[in-house]
Amino acid sequence: MSGDTNAVQGGRRISAHAVCAAIRDDIVSGAYQPGSRLTEELLARRYGVSRVPVREALRTLESEGFVTTRRHAGACVAQPSEREAADLLDIRALLEPLGAARAAQRRTEAHLKVLRGLVRLGRERAQGGQLGELRPLGDWFHETLAQASGSPSLAALLVQLRRKTAWVYAAAPGSRPVPPEGAARPDPAARAVESWAEHGALVDAVARGDADRARALATAHTERALSEYRLRRPIPVRTSKHSVNTASGRN
């Protein structure tokens, strides 16, 4: 299979793109900790492919900032500094309102249909306390909103920024944001209901073609969301761990 970026698994071809997505998902979910080595042989065995698509996937992930290559160590999960982590939040806070404004100007009826459907599902799940189902719905909502901007470059940046902030600011198991002393602890269920109401208002503005309103709503929503990120403890940086957890999973 030398020179072929596809692998055969169960009688079907697995592209390097699919391998890249699988490795990226495991990095974001924390299956591979910052600083851990990513050897082609172990990755190929884990995902049931040859080393060729794994090699290409690692090159792509390095260009995205999830992987770095070290001398004498090879490919490793990147270790973002605290400044880099803070920069991700600031850049996202600038670009998400821009994407919403562009969506109000360029969205299609197909985009609106998907966005409205996701808002309906999100509200139902939030009000029913089914919080575990909200993250994939939220990812789908924001990816669709980004695509509605009509700019493939901007949409790709927004999707990558969301992935990277989810990775860098993943909370430790069982941890929750800690409020200021004397303040009430946030209610995750209530915040979920509020968040999907914000999504609904944003879709209404996009449907009306009101770019200014969409930008303002996206700014407020992003600021609230990112303030919650800042309350979490980022993934430890500059560690020397090299273990690889072979448990598969998507965040």
Side-chain angles (χ1 to χ4, degrees):
M1 191 177 293
S2 177
D4 188 354
T5 59
N6 293 326
V8 177
Q9 184 183 65
R12 61 190 179 89
R13 288 199 171 273
I14 307 298
S15 67
H17 176 77
V19 176
C20 179
I23 298 173
R24 185 195 297 112
D25 285 350
D26 278 344
I27 290 174
V28 171
S29 69
Y32 302 131
Q33 290 296 306
S36 60
R37 294 184 62 189
L38 299 170
T39 64
E40 292 179 10
E41 182 180 357
L42 290 178
L43 291 173
R45 189 182 309 141
R46 175 184 174 92
Y47 301 109
V49 298
S50 76
R51 294 173 64 170
V52 176
V54 168
R55 190 175 303 126
E56 182 173 327
L58 290 176
R59 285 197 295 265
T60 299
L61 292 170
E62 183 169 14
S63 71
E64 293 178 354
F66 289 99
V67 170
T68 187
T69 301
R70 295 178 182 170
R71 188 177 182 183
H72 305 309
C76 302
V77 179
Q79 295 174 281
S81 67
E82 291 185 8
R83 176 177 292 182
E84 291 167 339
D87 286 346
L88 283 174
L89 299 184
D90 290 338
I91 295 169
R92 183 172 155 185
L94 290 171
L95 290 185
E96 287 200 345
L98 173 62
R102 290 286 186 271
Q105 297 166 331
R106 302 172 179 174
R107 89 293 183 280
T108 66
E109 288 302 316
H111 290 133
L112 288 178
K113 182 177 180 179
V114 174
L115 289 170
R116 285 170 170 154
L118 290 169
V119 167
R120 183 176 65 255
L121 287 174
R123 282 177 161 169
E124 290 174 357
R125 301 296 189 274
Q127 291 168 358
Q130 298 167 282
L131 305 187
E133 299 181 22
L134 293 179
R135 181 162 188 170
L137 288 176
D139 289 344
W140 190 359
F141 174 89
H142 285 285
E143 287 185 20
T144 303
L145 186 64
Q147 292 165 1
S149 70
S151 170
S153 297
L154 178 58
L157 281 172
L158 289 170
V159 170
Q160 185 171 334
L161 281 168
R162 288 186 63 81
R163 287 171 178 162
K164 292 188 80 170
T165 50
W167 166 49
V168 173
Y169 286 88
S175 69
R176 291 187 177 179
V178 179
E181 186 176 354
R185 285 191 171 272
D187 179 355
R191 176 55 192 147
V193 171
E194 180 184 14
S195 179
W196 280 95
E198 293 168 4
H199 287 157
L202 178 54
V203 172
D204 289 343
V206 168
R208 293 195 305 270
D210 190 339
D212 291 338
R213 177 65 172 163
R215 184 191 295 272
L217 288 171
T219 297
H221 177 74
T222 302
E223 287 178 351
R224 277 190 285 272
L226 297 189
S227 68
E228 294 168 8
Y229 270 123
R230 289 190 177 97
L231 289 173
R232 297 175 181 175
R233 184 177 62 185
I235 292 175
V237 298
R238 309 308 179 202
T239 63
S240 58
K241 290 184 179 180
H242 295 287
S243 59
V244 175
N245 184 344
T246 57
S248 177
R250 176 179 175 85
N251 65 315

